[in-house]
Amino acid sequence: MHDDEQPTRGQWYVAHCRPGSESVAARGLKQRLGLTTYLAEVSRRVRGEMKPAPLFPGYFFVRADLGAVNISSINSSPGMRGMLEFGGEAQAIPEALVAAIRERVDRLNAEGGLPAHTFQDGDAVLLKSGPLKGLEAVFLGPMTAGGRVKVLLHFLGRLNEVRVDADALEPAAPQARPAMKRYTRGRGRRISE
């Protein structure tokens, strides 16, 4: 959400709001107090559908001149928990930081948003749907704009690189290690068999 039509003077601050109330709180500050707000939202695949979601749940950025706007007016706005403070004072953040976050969010959205998974290269995964359901594979690669990822699958006696929907994967259960046979009770006392 970019609310830049009429930028307010002042500095950027981090606003803390109730989870799920980011849009309401940001819109309220703009409408009630005329402040510029920026809610960093990234497209995220949820149940096969791309939806905007806050990059920082419970937080957004607000530009304010705290000499002209009372901080209690900001903190008491609907959905707000309060300005992020350090040492009892709201701390301004550099304009360059907000600009860098905007740029990164725009780039992420242009590339198809955030992946719906947290798999790392080399993770063991299990296919939970589709014709290969129940097979274990190794996660290989990034998600494409269409929501597909690469996995390495041992199938028909050889390794195959396959593209599957990211939603069709789940972490594989860790392999149970066999129990170690004990030979002592501790302090060198042997177990008699």
Side-chain angles (χ1 to χ4, degrees):
M1 172 191 276
H2 297 274
D3 290 338
D4 295 309
E5 302 100 28
Q6 300 271 327
T8 51
R9 286 184 284 143
Q11 295 183 299
W12 284 103
Y13 296 90
V14 178
H16 183 47
C17 62
R18 289 187 212 111
S21 298
E22 297 88 357
S23 293
V24 170
R27 193 172 32 251
L29 289 178
K30 180 166 180 59
Q31 291 171 349
R32 289 180 69 225
L33 303 174
L35 301 176
T36 300
T37 61
Y38 173 59
L39 172 56
E41 290 183 302
V42 179
S43 296
R44 186 178 293 235
R45 186 172 296 278
V46 179
R47 289 183 221 88
E49 191 177 324
M50 294 303 281
K51 295 185 177 184
L55 183 61
F56 309 110
Y59 298 91
F60 63 94
F61 302 97
V62 61
R63 182 178 217 145
D65 178 355
L66 295 183
V69 177
N70 192 334
I71 196 166
S72 64
S73 299
I74 296 171
N75 289 343
S76 64
S77 191
M80 286 290 294
R81 286 200 168 153
M83 299 287 273
L84 195 60
E85 296 181 352
F86 297 100
E89 286 186 33
Q91 297 295 308
I93 59 173
E95 174 117 16
L97 177 62
V98 176
I101 291 170
R102 280 183 198 261
E103 184 180 309
R104 179 70 176 138
V105 166
D106 291 344
R107 192 173 335 119
L108 277 170
N109 285 330
E111 294 171 355
L114 289 177
H117 61 79
T118 57
F119 301 123
Q120 300 289 321
D121 291 354
D123 284 355
V125 293
L126 187 67
L127 285 103
K128 62 181 182 178
S129 63
L132 303 173
K133 181 178 180 178
L135 295 178
E136 195 168 308
V138 176
F139 184 80
L140 286 183
M143 187 157 77
T144 64
R148 296 180 67 79
V149 295
K150 290 186 285 185
V151 296
L152 188 61
L153 183 66
H154 191 268
F155 187 67
L156 298 175
R158 57 181 245 207
L159 292 174
N160 298 281
E161 189 175 295
V162 181
R163 289 187 186 269
V164 298
D165 287 332
D167 294 342
L169 299 177
E170 65 184 7
Q175 298 291 328
R177 291 185 5 195
M180 300 287 290
K181 182 166 173 61
R182 292 191 56 181
Y183 294 99
T184 65
R185 296 180 202 269
R187 296 188 182 166
R189 298 177 300 179
R190 291 225 172 260
I191 298 174
S192 56
E193 294 184 27

